[in-house]
Amino acid sequence: MKTKILTILALLVSIGTVLHFVIPPLLFGVKPDMMLAMMFLGIILFPKWNYVILLAFATGAISALTTAAPGGQIANLIDKPLTAVAFFLLFLLVRKQMNTKVTASVLTFAGTLISGSIFLSVALFFLGFLEGGFLALFAAVVLPAAVMNTVIMLVVYPIVEGIMKRSKVAAVS
């Protein structure tokens, strides 16, 4: 692993942490997960298994530390690695067939839906910590988070892509 890439990934996780920490909870202490957008951006910029796994566990651990949702600690530790692998596999499937900006936005929306589904399933059905129904929480928290993450990706990805090309840190996919 290259130190420059690890530094960039650490910055993305840090930005995601700040976003995750400052977003207020919407329903039953569940926050929209803005950290996902940064995890997805890191996966898109550096699509290698070792970086994906590192991002997944770092993001999961920090999300678990900053969550206010009942049972969110365990749910985040399960959700982030599964979501990162699913996102990475989807990215590998479609990256050559679509415009990268479109791919990043569509996959961010889909990845947030996957993450929210896994998180809510773990917290509601396996742990039984959250109050409320899956559909209510999905509609009130996951869908707005998916829209917010997609907007973040639409704004941030072209900027980061331009910076990466000019700095020649690594090849942008």
Side-chain angles (χ1 to χ4, degrees), residues 2 14 19 21 32 39-40 54 74 88 100 115 123 141 154 157:
K2 295 183 179 181
S14 300
L19 288 173
F21 189 70
M39 181 176 83
F40 296 156
L54 178 68
I74 296 168
F88 183 54
T100 309
S115 175
V141 179
L154 281 169
Y157 180 72

Side-chain angles (χ1 to χ4, degrees), residues 9-173:
L9 293 176
L11 286 171
L12 290 174
V13 171
S14 300
I15 293 166
T17 302
V18 171
L19 288 173
H20 187 72
F21 189 70
V22 299
I23 295 293
L26 296 180
L27 191 64
F28 301 118
V30 180
K31 297 178 178 186
D33 196 349
M34 301 294 103
M35 189 176 263
L36 284 171
M38 297 299 115
M39 181 176 83
F40 296 156
L41 183 58
I43 293 170
I44 291 168
L45 292 174
F46 307 107
K48 292 186 178 177
W49 279 109
N50 53 346
Y51 297 128
V52 171
I53 300 303
L54 178 68
L55 266 173
F57 286 109
T59 305
I62 293 174
S63 290
L65 291 172
T66 59
T67 190
Q73 293 79 14
I74 296 168
N76 272 307
L77 292 173
I78 294 169
D79 156 46
K80 296 303 182 287
L82 294 175
T83 301
V85 169
F87 183 88
F88 183 54
L89 293 174
L90 287 172
F91 177 73
L92 291 177
L93 281 174
V94 300
R95 75 175 170 175
K96 299 227 181 336
Q97 300 167 352
M98 295 175 65
N99 177 339
T100 309
K101 291 172 187 97
V102 173
T103 304
S105 301
V106 170
L107 288 179
T108 297
F109 187 83
T112 304
L113 296 180
I114 292 167
S115 175
S117 298
I118 294 169
F119 180 89
L120 290 176
S121 296
V122 170
L124 283 169
F125 303 121
F126 295 115
L127 301 176
F129 286 142
L130 286 177
E131 294 180 18
F134 182 88
L135 290 177
L137 288 167
F138 191 85
V141 179
V142 177
L143 289 177
V147 171
M148 286 188 268
N149 283 339
T150 302
V151 169
I152 288 171
M153 189 63 74
L154 281 169
V155 172
V156 172
Y157 180 72
I159 296 167
V160 172
E161 183 182 39
I163 291 169
M164 296 293 289
K165 284 181 181 176
R166 276 186 251 124
S167 68
K168 299 177 186 169
V169 171
V172 178
S173 300

